[in-house]
Amino acid sequence: MRTALHQSGKLIFHKRVQQGITQEELCQGICSVSYLSKIENDKIEASELIMQLLCERLGISLSSLQNTTGEAKQLLEQLHTALVYTNQEKATELYKQLQPVMVQVQDAEVLNFYQLLSVRYFLLIGRMDEAVSLLEECKKLSSKYSPLHNVIFHYVNGLIFCKKGEWEKGAGYFVKCEQQARAIKYSEPSIYYNLALVYSMIHNVSMSLYFVEQAINLYSKASKFRYIIDCQVIQGINYARLKEYDKAIETYENILQAAPSFSDKEEIFARTLHNLGYLYARQGEHKKATELYLDSLRYKESHIEAYVVTMYELVKSYIELKQFPDAKVWIEKGLKASKDNTFEKRNYYLLLMLQYKYFRSSGEYKDFLEKEAIPVFKQLKDAQELKNIYIELAEYSESELEYKESNRYYKLAIAIQNR
């Protein structure tokens, strides 16, 4: 009975928070608030009578704690593995199997595990709103999480912030996740992959390359060769930033050679051709870049997030080549593809900036930057684009002999740079 009573302390906390009941409301007429707090924190072993009364008020059964939760635990472990390796088909099958099983479960730790894995599952299948909503419920219970559950909690927080484009916040959660995982000797390659990705997004090349090597080692040990491809993409991006162009090209060409071996070869081709295009654009070879971007778009579907990114880079190369009619066509295609997509807001406004800059008057462009672009990129917390906008406005004001205004914008850009 000791095990059942111990589990029920955590269960009482879980159910009380879930139902929005205060400690005072729950323990009224049964025990003191301080006594309940000790029960919930496993500081004391309460009498069976008190536990029974608390459970009844919450509408749960103390005796059910003695029932086996083995099936639920087994399915959850399998689901966890499927999520670690982003096996959507297997994860969906297991998630469906769990539904009738979890209705019977009243073990708090099992319920916590299920909630956290549900958040991760919703993120995998693209149900972002449900993931965010459920994570809010998880936050209320996080003070009672086991070490492994804390790792998963920080991991899913990191994923959500990254999907919102808040890379710095995402990095903070992934760093904590990795530290906690290391402390309990838990090894998950996707933690290191996401650290490599997030550091790449905030242009911390050395940290990105450091973590991507760790991810590759872990994926190799697990014989998960498809995931090594994703790691090599990050390597190629960072080699390009270091201007090690030959090394980057070699990495991408190796990926293209390996791609036909995998079921999602079209996605691999699309992403790698995009990155090769970006690499040639950085070297000023914009004709070659446009060819690669167009090849990439042939493999992509309009619902893929990276589709609009490729359009944006293609437009920039057309502008460099002074092929303005082509640039205009692809701006319009990009705006149409991204207009109603919340997660494409950044690229939508980047394309609008190009439209106003090259196909509207300079005055209209200035008004757009000040009235629309600046508020949007502030909201998105995109410091790099804000700095670029301030410099654009400073240069425009200078050309109009508005030196005071120009100086103000230069100061704003410098302030961002100094941060």
Side-chain angles (χ1 to χ4, degrees):
M1 180 56 102
R2 170 70 188 103
T3 301
L5 291 175
H6 173 74
Q7 289 176 335
S8 64
K10 293 180 179 179
L11 177 63
I12 284 168
F13 172 79
H14 183 100
K15 290 293 185 181
R16 179 178 64 76
V17 173
Q18 193 177 57
Q19 295 177 28
I21 300 172
T22 66
Q23 287 184 322
E24 289 82 358
E25 289 169 336
L26 177 58
C27 70
Q28 188 176 12
I30 299 174
C31 63
S32 68
V33 172
S34 61
Y35 193 77
L36 174 60
S37 181
K38 288 176 182 178
I39 293 171
E40 291 183 341
N41 288 287
D42 295 325
K43 297 287 179 64
I44 58 169
E45 182 177 344
S47 70
E48 187 172 350
L49 176 60
I50 287 178
M51 297 301 289
Q52 187 69 50
L53 291 169
L54 292 171
C55 287
E56 285 176 2
R57 187 162 288 177
L58 288 166
I60 58 178
S61 170
L62 179 60
S63 61
S64 66
L65 291 172
Q66 298 173 56
N67 298 337
T68 180
T69 57
E71 184 183 1
K73 287 181 178 179
Q74 187 177 23
L75 287 170
L76 285 167
E77 288 296 341
Q78 292 175 28
L79 176 60
H80 188 202
T81 301
L83 291 169
V84 165
Y85 294 109
T86 59
N87 187 335
Q88 185 170 329
E89 185 179 347
K90 185 65 176 176
T92 299
E93 177 191 330
L94 289 163
Y95 194 77
K96 286 178 180 177
Q97 288 181 42
L98 271 164
Q99 302 314 298
V101 177
M102 291 306 300
V103 172
Q104 307 299 321
V105 173
Q106 297 199 46
D107 183 299
E109 289 199 9
V110 175
L111 290 168
N112 287 339
F113 197 24
Y114 172 68
Q115 274 194 324
L116 288 165
L117 293 187
S118 295
V119 175
R120 193 162 175 176
Y121 173 67
F122 290 150
L123 289 172
L124 176 63
I125 63 173
R127 286 156 63 177
M128 179 72 166
D129 290 343
E130 288 173 81
V132 171
S133 177
L134 185 54
L135 185 59
E136 287 302 311
E137 293 300 312
C138 292
K139 286 176 182 176
K140 298 173 186 176
L141 304 163
S142 60
S143 63
K144 297 292 188 294
Y145 281 167
S146 68
L148 176 59
H149 294 169
N150 260 317
V151 170
I152 301 169
F153 175 70
H154 283 89
Y155 183 88
V156 292
N157 270 286
L159 282 180
I160 285 175
F161 277 112
C162 289
K163 285 183 178 292
K164 290 178 179 178
E166 296 184 41
W167 300 102
E168 294 281 358
K169 285 186 179 178
Y173 275 105
F174 281 127
V175 167
K176 288 179 183 176
C177 173
E178 191 274 335
Q179 291 170 345
Q180 291 168 342
R182 210 159 10 94
I184 61 172
K185 294 182 171 55
Y186 171 74
S187 181
E188 181 181 324
S190 54
I191 295 173
Y192 296 97
Y193 169 77
N194 278 292
L195 276 165
L197 176 63
V198 76
Y199 277 121
S200 179
M201 293 303 296
I202 59 178
H203 292 244
N204 189 328
V205 173
S206 59
M207 291 298 286
S208 181
L209 288 172
Y210 170 75
F211 282 115
V212 83
E213 283 293 339
Q214 295 192 55
I216 288 172
N217 289 336
L218 290 171
Y219 282 130
S220 296
K221 288 177 183 176
S223 299
K224 299 293 182 181
F225 302 111
R226 169 61 186 84
Y227 300 95
I228 293 174
I229 295 284
D230 294 332
C231 295
Q232 289 174 327
V233 169
I234 295 175
Q235 283 181 317
I237 291 168
N238 285 297
Y239 290 148
R241 287 173 179 159
L242 293 171
K243 297 186 179 179
E244 296 181 15
Y245 297 126
D246 290 342
K247 205 170 180 179
I249 289 171
E250 182 184 357
T251 301
Y252 291 139
E253 287 178 346
N254 288 339
I255 293 171
L256 292 174
Q257 287 178 5
S261 304
F262 301 102
S263 59
D264 60 341
K265 55 184 178 291
E266 288 83 6
E267 182 184 339
I268 298 171
F269 279 130
R271 190 189 312 179
T272 308
L273 289 165
H274 169 95
N275 288 336
L276 268 171
Y278 185 73
L279 181 59
Y280 280 102
R282 281 177 67 95
Q283 298 177 82
E285 297 184 41
H286 292 285
K287 191 172 189 315
K288 178 69 173 175
T290 57
E291 292 169 1
L292 289 162
Y293 288 141
L294 288 169
D295 283 344
S296 173
L297 288 167
R298 290 187 190 102
Y299 284 104
K300 292 182 177 181
E301 297 177 24
S302 59
H303 69 274
I304 295 175
E305 188 175 335
Y307 189 73
V308 181
V309 177
T310 303
M311 288 183 179
Y312 173 67
E313 296 298 338
L314 175 62
V315 168
K316 289 201 298 182
S317 282
Y318 274 138
I319 288 169
E320 289 292 333
L321 293 167
K322 301 193 184 306
Q323 294 179 220
F324 293 107
D326 290 319
K328 188 174 182 180
V329 167
W330 282 100
I331 285 174
E332 289 169 358
K333 286 184 178 181
L335 291 173
K336 183 178 178 181
S338 59
K339 184 175 182 181
D340 298 322
N341 189 332
T342 304
F343 299 106
E344 287 291 358
K345 190 172 185 178
R346 178 180 185 274
N347 293 306
Y348 179 74
Y349 275 88
L350 287 174
L351 285 165
L352 274 178
M353 283 168 62
L354 292 178
Q355 186 181 64
Y356 273 87
K357 183 173 183 177
Y358 292 99
F359 302 103
R360 301 284 184 88
S361 70
S362 56
E364 286 178 304
Y365 179 48
K366 177 179 182 290
D367 285 346
F368 170 76
L369 291 180
E370 290 180 328
K371 295 175 182 177
E372 293 192 52
I374 288 175
V376 165
F377 287 106
K378 279 184 176 178
Q379 181 190 13
L380 293 173
K381 299 179 182 177
D382 192 328
Q384 184 60 47
E385 284 307 322
L386 272 175
K387 187 181 81 169
N388 293 340
I389 291 169
Y390 289 144
I391 291 172
E392 288 265 316
L393 287 167
E395 290 174 350
Y396 173 81
S397 298
E398 192 173 5
S399 70
E400 295 293 309
L401 306 181
E402 297 173 357
Y403 298 115
K404 186 176 180 181
E405 190 73 348
S406 174
N407 186 50
R408 183 172 73 85
Y409 281 120
Y410 274 127
K411 283 182 177 178
L412 288 169
I414 291 168
I416 291 175
Q417 182 68 39
N418 290 340
R419 274 189 257 142

